[in-house]
Amino acid sequence: MLTEGQVILHEPLGDEEQKLRKLVLKSPIASKAEAGQFTAVQVKDSAVPSFDPLLRRPISLAGISSEKEEITLLYRIQGRGTEILARAQVGDRLSMMGPLGCGFSLPAEGELWLIAGGIGIFPLYPLAQKAMAQGLQVRLFWGAENRPFLESAGLTSWQALGIPIELSTLDGSLGHKGLVTEPVGNLLEKQEIRGNIISAATCGPKKMMQAVTELCLARQVPVQVSLEERMGCAVGACLGCAVALIDETGAKVHKKVCQDGPVFQGKEVVWDESC
Amino acid sequence: MLTEGQVILHEPLGDEEQKLRKLVLKSPIASKAEAGQFTAVQVKDSAVPSFDPLLRRPISLAGISSEKEEITLLYRIQGRGTEILARAQVGDRLSMMGPLGCGFSLPAEGELWLIAGGIGIFPLYPLAQKAMAQGLQVRLFWGAENRPFLESAGLTSWQALGIPIELSTLDGSLGHKGLVTEPVGNLLEKQEIRGNIISAATCGPKKMMQAVTELCLARQVPVQVSLEERMGCAVGACLGCAVALIDETGAKVHKKVCQDGPVFQGKEVVWDESC
Amino acid sequence: MNPVDLTTQLAGITLRNPIVTCSGTYGFGEEYAPYCPVDSLGGITLKGITPLPRLGNPVPRLAETPAGLLNSVGLENPGLEEFLKTYLPKVRQLPTEVIANISGFSLEDYVQLAQALQKDSGLAALEVNISCPNVKHGGMHFGTDPGSAEEVISAVKAATDLPVIAKLSPNVTDIVAMARAAQRGGADVLSLINTLLGMQIDIHQQRPVLANTFGGLSGPAIKPVALRMVWQVFAAVDLPIIGMGGIVTWQDAVEFLLAGATAVSIGTGNFVNPQAPLEILRGITDYCRQRGVASVGDLVGLAHS
Amino acid sequence: MNPVDLTTQLAGITLRNPIVTCSGTYGFGEEYAPYCPVDSLGGITLKGITPLPRLGNPVPRLAETPAGLLNSVGLENPGLEEFLKTYLPKVRQLPTEVIANISGFSLEDYVQLAQALQKDSGLAALEVNISCPNVKHGGMHFGTDPGSAEEVISAVKAATDLPVIAKLSPNVTDIVAMARAAQRGGADVLSLINTLLGMQIDIHQQRPVLANTFGGLSGPAIKPVALRMVWQVFAAVDLPIIGMGGIVTWQDAVEFLLAGATAVSIGTGNFVNPQAPLEILRGITDYCRQRGVASVGDLVGLAHS
Ligand SMILES: Cc1cc2nc3c(=O)[nH]c(=O)nc-3n(C[C@H](O)[C@H](O)[C@H](O)COP(=O)(O)OP(=O)(O)OC[C@H]3O[C@@H](n4cnc5c(N)ncnc54)[C@H](O)[C@@H]3O)c2cc1C
Ligand SMILES: Cc1cc2nc3c(=O)[nH]c(=O)nc-3n(C[C@H](O)[C@H](O)[C@H](O)COP(=O)(O)OP(=O)(O)OC[C@H]3O[C@@H](n4cnc5c(N)ncnc54)[C@H](O)[C@@H]3O)c2cc1C
Ligand SMILES: Cc1cc2nc3c(=O)[nH]c(=O)nc-3n(C[C@H](O)[C@H](O)[C@H](O)COP(=O)(O)O)c2cc1C
Ligand SMILES: Cc1cc2nc3c(=O)[nH]c(=O)nc-3n(C[C@H](O)[C@H](O)[C@H](O)COP(=O)(O)O)c2cc1C
Ligand code: FES
Ligand code: FES
């Protein structure tokens, strides 16, 4: 679907120096979207056409409200694309494709562990909401640089969900000092959780997702991973966003992050190859 | 000089449908500029860099106030460049090169005829002001499409100068019905003006300036013409804006509109060649 | 007001209009269907196929450049067998003309592909990609040497009863020589241009952005080069041309028609605006109407006179 | 913090820094002086000269394209005699290294120009433009055929005691073959790239925008192609390279250094920002400082490893 989303709210998310933004749009995308899906938004800052920058930017749906027909995008200003996006004003209309891709699927029962690295937290919030609505137990592991980041990137909203949260920071300014994989590994080691039916969903830097996947699979915990790749078409037509997977027969195949993903089964991903 | 001009006023000039704009900028260019010179302004609509469109746009200085350090640009929205320019807000800073080129020179005495076609009127106003300040008699001939254009493009300011004005419109909605060259030719024909010392300055479409030049030269009236050409560097470095002239020795030479012009002696211009 | 005749004849194929989509940018025809109804297109060109399946190059495969896109997909495709089994039955149902695009690493590859794709496949034509710059071994050779180009086109021509479209690479000294070679080989149509070979460097990591180092440059950045080549070939070779390279707006498309393209193809433009083909079609139609041009074919090559 | 060593050695010429400006975009060195102090530049390259004066092509000579510029100036220049009389005395006073750029329509043209320009002229080097795409007769030939390129470079080399820079055209199938030919001819330095041949059409007037139909494409649009060619030539040929094509920002310049250029040259970028060379110099210096790179020369070709 190609539609225009109208900007309803656009504001810094937390500390200005984190360069995070919250963008809420009125959009028909809301009525069809699922947690883990994304939109490809045209970044332009002017009514006058320009081909530089050329491509749309993929951004995850970080909030989906079908009643209000609203979606929320959370993003970090990283390069020219997001810098331009950051200049959208309330009332502006942005050209958006979506909802795109295949999102997370929920387990039928048991405990769902969400394991986030940095801004990988963003697509997990609607997943947590949906899981809780379906009566699943949700637990969050979230690692990041430091406390100001965590507080800026939505910690209070997560705390408001009333779920168990394990935080890690590289500098120890909040929660465990170190990588998010450590608390995950520790809890997986514990005797008492062994009997539970646990599944996991992770989003964050590739190396972190790989480590999470290895930890989980070693304990027979199924894990879904949300991958990122540079995109051209965002609809499966250009093969720009390939990811290498091992299919059921053990053969190496390529799938498309934009269409077959961004969410894949961790056990299928071939991590050690770029593609 | 490369400086930033700060937008002080930016508003439609006359009827919206004429797509004319008045842009007043605080700029050090004002202190050095002469009538007939121009600036090369960067057209960008965003703080985020983009290379599309790539080039600066040459715009004549239509008002020069050295006391207030202000320059006025008058332009018509024609393509992408001027569309982007039209979006500049009061307070914005525009990157400008200038003052560029060689402007009009004033005769020592006598009557100065200004002959304008359409938006070619814009660079002539500061020339009229300067000529009158030096005690020259000034007369304006101005031809255009129709009355709404003339009224939008600054007729009242010209009338305020208290000089004789002959208007022409193609549709006859104001003044003489037809080309501006007709009243010019008629007056040149008249016996009584023969004795006067007359010189002329013209700006407008090329064909019109050619006709004006031929009329004037046939009556030994020296005429300066302000030429337009697509520009790359605007400082004489790229040879993109060449114009063919006949020099004193009768040889055909090329000069640069940006550096040697935009104002040339009409008698030197080789009209029938594009270059 | 009389309607504008948009039908376009390309060496025996009748397209409902001159808008087609580029190989490698439009998947197998279904991906963009929710954005741009397939039956509004004159035709689509499928992703390039090779005899054997190919995984293509490692990622990153894409890099954005000023008004352009670099890609190093590297001819990822399911291979001929899987194409015939899984894709062909679907694409032949599409309500538009479907052009297959074939690539190979040897003459035999091309012949094998051509033999498998005949008129009874339901395809409209065979586009022979002798120009993909991404494959290190062989691919480039056919596209840059006139002798080899002639050889591969004539072998394909002999192997299939479908009309043959030769897709030319811009990475050559003399595009007209390549076009003439394709004509000698028996090509029915010429398609130009493929991508220009380029690269980008990540100055933080101090290495090429694309895992494959080089990629093909497409998009508006290359439009002036594409247009020039269409112009040159139109002036020199008497074969219909499918023009492509940087077409995003209807004005771009009109430039190509005026330069001598009989049909225009949209590639990277779809990524920018998935409704680009529709908007281009509308724009061309209005342009013709406003100028009293009865048939879009009347525009072809008009800027030469 | 240690200062960064910016001095750059180019086949015996010492530049105070690796930033030079491109032939044809920087006039005879004085035009941009009010915007960018000449003594802040490593060097400047003069507008191309020919034995006889040339008026060049008719206007329009310029057209803006997406992130690019087409020009068909057509080698307008005062000719050798006038150059020696009027321009050389001035340019040899400029407080930077000055590179003359020569073009010809025959081997004899090049030899005549080279003979007239020796070390005692005060020039730093002679750049041989075998690549200008604007001149219909001859110009292109030297730039696209390795044999002719070798011949013209070796004739120039024999005729002057100045270091010889061969400026290569990108409009070729195999840039490495051209670079090797220039090396065989005795070139001391390679300079690449010149413009890509392109065109634009005015859809209202239904004719080419440029009076000359074709023009050379420069600016950011061509940067990926230029960078690729610098990379390929650096990997294959052991000669210093002056890299150019679309450099506007310091990041662009660093890409070229990492790809293998010893110096970088700014052309169209000056039109966009007449202080581009200054800003690029500052940016490169900071980049080196932040990464603890002692000498800018240490960046050259770094992305290959
Ligand atoms: C499925 C998906 C969901 C995403 N969701 C979010 C999100 O919710 N919030 C958020 O902040 N970011 C998200 N991203 C990343 C976002 O698209 C990139 O951060 C952004 O494109 C790079 O920032 P930029 O456009 O400002 O950089 P630029 O420098 O302008 O980008 C240059 C080019 O590189 C590509 N690129 C650069 N970094 C990345 C990257 N990490 N992944 C993919 N392409 C990249 C861009 O698409 C563009 O083509 C997502 C990416 C994907 C693939
Ligand atoms: C010395 C000089 C003084 C000028 N003064 C004025 C002025 O006071 N007011 C005004 O409205 N216009 C003026 N112009 C014309 C103005 O530069 C062009 O109108 C404008 O560049 C074209 O509009 P655009 O940029 O919106 O078009 P676009 O379509 O964005 O332009 C595309 C390209 O074509 C070039 N171009 C298009 N038309 C012209 C033209 N007529 N002359 C030169 N280049 C052109 C542009 O520079 C650009 O490179 C002047 C031109 C020159 C050379
Ligand atoms: C991602 C991508 C994949 C491509 N794959 C192919 C291909 O498989 N076969 C082919 O002949 N051309 C391929 N091309 C080239 C396009 O068909 C087209 O010739 C080129 O991109 C220029 O057109 P554009 O600027 O409109 O994209 C590909 C282009 C892109 C961008
Ligand atoms: C207006 C213009 C004139 C040029 N004239 C010459 C020339 O006389 N000799 C030459 O070798 N190159 C000439 N060039 C090519 C440039 O020197 C340079 O190789 C090319 O523009 C690519 O660099 P850029 O993208 O930074 O401009 C010219 C380029 C432009 C834009
Ligand atoms: S981005 Fe085109 S296939 Fe995924
Ligand atoms: S615009 Fe470059 S010389 Fe006039």
Side-chain angles (χ1 to χ4, degrees), chain C residues 109-162:
Chain C
D109 282 358
Y110 284 103
V111 170
Q112 186 188 342
L113 291 158
Q115 279 169 343
L117 300 168
Q118 307 289 335
K119 272 199 175 132
D120 61 14
S121 66
L123 295 167
L126 217 55
E127 185 176 69
V128 188
N129 177 11
I130 49 171
S131 48
C132 182
N134 291 320
V135 181
K136 277 171 193 138
H137 308 291
M140 198 67 188
H141 175 65
F142 296 109
T144 55
D145 172 55
S148 314
E150 178 178 346
E151 198 182 9
V152 70
I153 296 296
S154 73
V156 166
K157 187 71 191 163
T160 183
D161 59 359
L162 282 169

Side-chain angles (χ1 to χ4, degrees), chain A residues 45-53 80-81 83-84 87, chain B residues 45-53 80-81 83-84 87:
Chain A
D45 184 17
S46 167
V48 184
S50 170
F51 293 133
D52 181 36
R80 211 155 51 115
E83 251 174 61
I84 293 174
R87 304 176 70 81
Chain B
D45 184 15
S46 168
V48 184
S50 171
F51 294 133
D52 181 36
R80 211 154 51 114
E83 252 175 60
I84 293 174
R87 305 177 69 81

Side-chain angles (χ1 to χ4, degrees), chain D residues 36 39-40 88 124 131 144 157 170 184 250 252 256 266 277 281 284:
Chain D
C36 180
D39 64 4
S40 66
L88 186 58
S131 47
T144 56
K157 187 69 191 165
R184 282 195 305 271
W250 68 263
D252 298 332
F256 277 84
I266 325 297
L281 182 61
I284 292 179

